[in-house]
Amino acid sequence: MVIKSRPYIIGSALGLINAVVTTRYLANHPIGASTSYPYVAGLIFKLQQYDYFAAVKKAGSWELVFLVGTFIGAISAALVVGRFRLKCVPELWKEKKGSSPVRRLLWAFAGGFTLILGARLAGGCTSGHILSGGMQLAVSSLVFALFAIGSAVLSARLFYGANR
């Protein structure tokens, strides 16, 4: 099955999801993900008595549901269209950095750790800032989006080389 990208449909669907989840009478939550990590860590390490856990409890529990739903939705969509593949070392990585799965996993962990650390230091993740804030036309979110995209392009060029 071939699926063509239709940005206006995807954008409309994101707008509808954002309207539903941020509506005060329905979910009353912004789209986000990073607060689920300190929430889960607080549950695992029994940190519920601390003020920070109390501050992230409502958002963290919602975002955990959001992340699980996103994962299930993505897997389901990939299975339906027949494009689900498990790959430890993607082709571009193999071409530029070699075929070692251990090296790939270590870099993936380092990148993920850096990303979540930055998200927590910034008080939110890119999905929260760009999707929720951008749809509300918050100037800070739009400026953040420009810098996030710019730094992603710069990082990719530095990491993979300028020829790609």
Side-chain angles (χ1 to χ4, degrees):
M1 176 186 292
V2 176
I3 295 186
K4 293 183 179 180
S5 175
R6 293 194 169 43
Y8 52 90
I9 293 173
I10 295 168
S12 298
L14 271 174
L16 182 61
I17 289 168
N18 193 55
V20 168
V21 300
T22 58
T23 300
R24 186 170 74 187
Y25 301 107
L26 297 174
N28 196 23
H29 295 285
I31 293 174
S34 65
T35 307
S36 63
Y37 294 99
Y39 173 73
V40 169
L43 292 176
I44 291 171
F45 296 107
K46 310 272 190 254
L47 303 173
Q48 293 91 340
Q49 73 273 19
Y50 293 100
D51 292 340
Y52 184 73
F53 185 84
V56 301
K57 184 177 180 180
K58 181 181 177 192
S61 61
W62 155 255
E63 290 178 7
L64 183 59
V65 171
F66 185 77
L67 279 177
V68 170
T70 301
F71 178 75
I72 291 170
I75 293 286
S76 300
L79 289 170
V80 165
V81 299
R83 296 182 68 185
F84 181 78
R85 306 282 184 275
L86 279 178
K87 267 189 165 179
C88 185
V89 183
E91 294 307 314
L92 178 61
W93 181 275
K94 201 177 291 185
E95 177 187 322
K96 298 288 187 175
K97 300 292 181 184
S99 60
S100 168
V102 172
R103 186 172 183 204
R104 167 72 171 126
L105 293 172
L106 287 173
W107 273 104
F109 179 80
F113 181 82
T114 304
L115 188 76
I116 198 64
L117 178 64
R120 295 315 310 145
L121 290 174
C125 58
T126 53
S127 61
H129 284 298
I130 294 174
L131 292 179
S132 291
M135 284 188 237
Q136 297 169 25
L137 298 178
V139 173
S140 60
S141 292
L142 298 173
V143 169
F144 174 79
L146 289 173
F147 279 94
I149 292 166
S151 64
V153 169
L154 179 63
S155 297
R157 286 188 163 265
L158 290 173
F159 192 76
Y160 285 117
N163 297 338
R164 193 74 178 157

